[in-house]
Coordinates of all heavy atoms in Angstrom, one line a residue:
M1 N 9.6 -9.4 -10.9 CA 10.9 -8.6 -10.8 C 10.7 -7.3 -11.6 O 11.2 -6.2 -11.2 CB 12.0 -9.4 -11.4 CG 12.4 -10.6 -10.6 SD 13.2 -10.1 -9.0 CE 14.7 -9.6 -9.6
S2 N 10.0 -7.3 -12.8 CA 9.8 -6.1 -13.6 C 8.9 -5.1 -12.8 O 9.2 -3.9 -12.8 CB 9.2 -6.4 -14.9 OG 10.1 -7.2 -15.7
V3 N 7.9 -5.6 -12.2 CA 7.0 -4.8 -11.4 C 7.7 -4.2 -10.2 O 7.5 -3.0 -9.9 CB 5.7 -5.6 -10.9 CG1 5.0 -4.8 -9.8 CG2 4.8 -5.8 -12.1
S4 N 8.6 -5.0 -9.6 CA 9.4 -4.5 -8.5 C 10.2 -3.3 -8.9 O 10.3 -2.3 -8.2 CB 10.3 -5.6 -7.9 OG 11.0 -5.1 -6.8
K5 N 10.9 -3.4 -10.0 CA 11.7 -2.3 -10.5 C 10.8 -1.0 -10.8 O 11.2 0.1 -10.5 CB 12.4 -2.7 -11.8 CG 13.6 -3.7 -11.5 CD 14.2 -4.1 -12.8 CE 15.3 -5.2 -12.6 NZ 15.9 -5.6 -13.8
A6 N 9.7 -1.3 -11.4 CA 8.8 -0.2 -11.7 C 8.3 0.5 -10.5 O 8.2 1.8 -10.4 CB 7.6 -0.7 -12.6
L7 N 8.0 -0.3 -9.4 CA 7.5 0.3 -8.2 C 8.6 1.1 -7.5 O 8.4 2.1 -6.9 CB 6.9 -0.8 -7.3 CG 5.6 -1.4 -7.7 CD1 5.3 -2.6 -6.9 CD2 4.5 -0.3 -7.6
K8 N 9.8 0.6 -7.6 CA 11.0 1.3 -7.0 C 11.2 2.6 -7.7 O 11.5 3.6 -7.1 CB 12.3 0.5 -7.1 CG 12.3 -0.7 -6.2 CD 12.3 -0.3 -4.7 CE 12.3 -1.5 -3.8 NZ 12.2 -1.1 -2.4
H9 N 10.9 2.7 -9.0 CA 11.0 3.9 -9.7 C 9.9 4.9 -9.2 O 10.2 6.1 -9.0 CB 10.8 3.7 -11.2 CG 10.9 4.9 -12.1 ND1 12.0 5.4 -12.6 CD2 9.9 5.7 -12.5 CE1 11.7 6.5 -13.3 NE2 10.4 6.7 -13.2
L10 N 8.7 4.4 -9.1 CA 7.6 5.2 -8.6 C 7.9 5.7 -7.1 O 7.5 6.8 -6.8 CB 6.3 4.5 -8.7 CG 5.9 4.2 -10.1 CD1 4.6 3.3 -10.1 CD2 5.6 5.5 -10.9
E11 N 8.5 4.8 -6.4 CA 8.8 5.1 -5.0 C 9.8 6.2 -4.9 O 9.8 7.2 -4.1 CB 9.2 3.9 -4.2 CG 9.4 4.1 -2.7 CD 9.8 2.8 -2.0 OE1 10.7 2.1 -2.5 OE2 9.3 2.6 -0.9
G12 N 10.8 6.2 -5.8 CA 11.8 7.2 -5.9 C 11.3 8.5 -6.3 O 11.8 9.6 -5.9
E13 N 10.2 8.5 -7.1 CA 9.5 9.8 -7.5 C 8.6 10.3 -6.4 O 8.1 11.4 -6.5 CB 8.7 9.5 -8.7 CG 9.4 9.2 -10.0 CD 10.0 10.4 -10.7 OE1 9.5 11.5 -10.4 OE2 11.0 10.2 -11.4
G14 N 8.4 9.5 -5.3 CA 7.6 9.9 -4.2 C 6.1 9.7 -4.5 O 5.3 10.3 -3.8
L15 N 5.8 8.8 -5.4 CA 4.4 8.6 -5.8 C 3.7 7.5 -5.1 O 2.5 7.5 -5.0 CB 4.3 8.4 -7.3 CG 4.8 9.5 -8.2 CD1 4.9 9.1 -9.7 CD2 4.0 10.8 -8.0
V16 N 4.5 6.5 -4.6 CA 3.9 5.4 -3.9 C 4.8 5.1 -2.7 O 5.9 5.4 -2.6 CB 3.9 4.1 -4.8 CG1 3.0 4.3 -6.0 CG2 5.2 3.6 -5.2
E17 N 4.1 4.4 -1.8 CA 4.8 3.8 -0.6 C 4.5 2.4 -0.6 O 3.4 1.9 -0.7 CB 4.3 4.5 0.7 CG 4.6 6.0 0.8 CD 3.9 6.7 1.9 OE1 3.2 6.0 2.7 OE2 4.1 7.9 2.1
L18 N 5.6 1.5 -0.5 CA 5.4 0.1 -0.5 C 5.3 -0.5 0.9 O 6.0 -0.1 1.8 CB 6.6 -0.5 -1.3 CG 6.8 0.0 -2.7 CD1 8.1 -0.6 -3.3 CD2 5.6 -0.2 -3.6
G19 N 4.4 -1.5 1.0 CA 4.3 -2.2 2.3 C 4.0 -3.6 2.0 O 3.9 -4.1 0.9
Y20 N 3.9 -4.4 3.1 CA 3.7 -5.8 2.9 C 2.3 -6.1 2.6 O 1.4 -5.9 3.4 CB 4.1 -6.6 4.2 CG 4.1 -8.1 4.1 CD1 5.1 -8.8 3.5 CD2 3.0 -8.8 4.6 CE1 5.0 -10.1 3.3 CE2 2.9 -10.2 4.5 CZ 4.0 -10.8 3.8 OH 3.9 -12.2 3.7
G21 N 2.0 -6.5 1.4 CA 0.6 -6.8 0.9 C -0.2 -5.6 0.5 O -1.4 -5.7 0.3
Y22 N 0.4 -4.5 0.4 CA -0.3 -3.3 0.0 C 0.6 -2.3 -0.6 O 1.8 -2.3 -0.5 CB -1.0 -2.6 1.2 CG -0.1 -1.9 2.2 CD1 0.2 -0.6 2.0 CD2 0.4 -2.6 3.3 CE1 1.1 0.0 3.0 CE2 1.2 -2.0 4.2 CZ 1.5 -0.7 4.0 OH 2.4 -0.1 4.9
I23 N 0.0 -1.4 -1.4 CA 0.7 -0.2 -2.0 C -0.1 1.0 -1.6 O -1.3 1.0 -1.8 CB 0.9 -0.4 -3.5 CG1 1.7 -1.6 -3.8 CG2 1.6 0.9 -4.1 CD1 1.7 -2.0 -5.3
R24 N 0.6 2.0 -1.1 CA -0.1 3.2 -0.7 C 0.2 4.4 -1.7 O 1.3 4.6 -2.0 CB 0.3 3.6 0.7 CG -0.5 4.8 1.3 CD -0.2 4.9 2.8 NE -1.0 5.9 3.4 CZ -0.6 7.2 3.4 NH1 0.5 7.6 3.0 NH2 -1.4 8.1 4.0
L25 N -0.9 5.1 -2.1 CA -0.7 6.3 -2.9 C -0.9 7.5 -1.9 O -2.1 7.8 -1.6 CB -1.7 6.4 -4.0 CG -1.7 5.2 -5.0 CD1 -2.8 5.4 -6.0 CD2 -0.4 5.1 -5.7
P26 N 0.1 8.1 -1.5 CA -0.1 9.2 -0.5 C -0.8 10.4 -1.1 O -1.4 11.2 -0.4 CB 1.4 9.6 -0.1 CG 2.3 9.0 -1.0 CD 1.5 7.9 -1.7
A27 N -0.6 10.6 -2.4 CA -1.3 11.8 -3.1 C -1.7 11.3 -4.5 O -1.0 11.6 -5.5 CB -0.4 13.0 -3.1
P28 N -2.9 10.7 -4.6 CA -3.4 10.2 -5.9 C -3.4 11.3 -7.0 O -3.2 11.1 -8.1 CB -4.7 9.6 -5.6 CG -4.7 9.2 -4.2 CD -3.8 10.3 -3.5
A29 N -3.8 12.5 -6.6 CA -3.9 13.6 -7.5 C -2.5 13.9 -8.1 O -2.4 14.3 -9.3 CB -4.5 14.9 -6.8
R30 N -1.5 13.8 -7.3 CA -0.1 14.0 -7.8 C 0.3 12.9 -8.8 O 1.0 13.2 -9.8 CB 0.9 14.0 -6.6 CG 2.3 14.3 -7.0 CD 3.2 14.6 -5.8 NE 4.5 14.8 -6.2 CZ 5.5 13.9 -6.0 NH1 5.3 12.9 -5.2 NH2 6.7 14.2 -6.4
V31 N -0.2 11.7 -8.6 CA 0.1 10.6 -9.5 C -0.6 10.9 -10.8 O 0.0 10.7 -11.9 CB -0.4 9.2 -8.9 CG1 -0.2 8.1 -10.0 CG2 0.3 8.9 -7.6
S32 N -1.8 11.4 -10.8 CA -2.5 11.8 -12.0 C -1.8 12.9 -12.7 O -1.7 12.8 -14.0 CB -4.0 12.2 -11.6 OG -4.7 12.6 -12.7
A33 N -1.4 13.9 -12.0 CA -0.6 15.0 -12.7 C 0.7 14.5 -13.3 O 1.1 14.9 -14.4 CB -0.3 16.1 -11.7
W34 N 1.4 13.6 -12.6 CA 2.6 13.0 -13.1 C 2.4 12.2 -14.3 O 3.1 12.3 -15.3 CB 3.2 12.1 -12.0 CG 4.5 11.5 -12.4 CD1 5.8 12.0 -12.4 CD2 4.7 10.1 -12.8 NE1 6.7 11.1 -12.8 CE2 6.1 9.9 -13.1 CE3 3.8 9.1 -13.1 CZ2 6.6 8.7 -13.6 CZ3 4.3 7.9 -13.5 CH2 5.7 7.7 -13.8
L35 N 1.3 11.4 -14.4 CA 0.9 10.6 -15.6 C 0.7 11.5 -16.8 O 1.1 11.2 -17.9 CB -0.3 9.7 -15.3 CG 0.0 8.5 -14.5 CD1 -1.3 7.8 -14.1 CD2 0.8 7.5 -15.4
T36 N 0.0 12.6 -16.5 CA -0.2 13.6 -17.6 C 1.1 14.2 -18.1 O 1.2 14.3 -19.3 CB -1.1 14.8 -17.1 OG1 -2.4 14.2 -16.6 CG2 -1.4 15.8 -18.2
S37 N 2.0 14.5 -17.2 CA 3.3 15.0 -17.7 C 4.1 14.0 -18.4 O 5.0 14.3 -19.2 CB 4.1 15.6 -16.5 OG 4.6 14.5 -15.7
E38 N 3.8 12.7 -18.1 CA 4.6 11.6 -18.8 C 3.9 11.2 -20.1 O 4.4 10.4 -20.9 CB 4.6 10.3 -17.9 CG 5.5 10.4 -16.7 CD 6.9 10.4 -17.0 OE1 7.4 9.5 -17.8 OE2 7.7 11.3 -16.6

């Protein structure tokens, strides 16, 4: 449940796309930049 909430947060930021049995990073470089800003 905690991971689900965290993934919804990341999905809201546009960093991940959730699917059945997978998680997609549409722009990994953007995730890296976001982590740096965090």
Side-chain angles (χ1 to χ4, degrees):
M1 293 290 287
S2 296
V3 166
S4 179
K5 288 178 185 177
L7 288 170
K8 289 294 180 188
H9 179 88
L10 295 173
E11 188 177 43
E13 295 280 339
L15 301 173
V16 300
E17 296 172 359
L18 305 177
Y20 187 78
Y22 70 89
I23 299 170
R24 184 169 186 271
L25 301 177
R30 185 168 173 248
V31 176
S32 181
W34 179 82
L35 280 168
T36 302
S37 73
E38 289 289 312

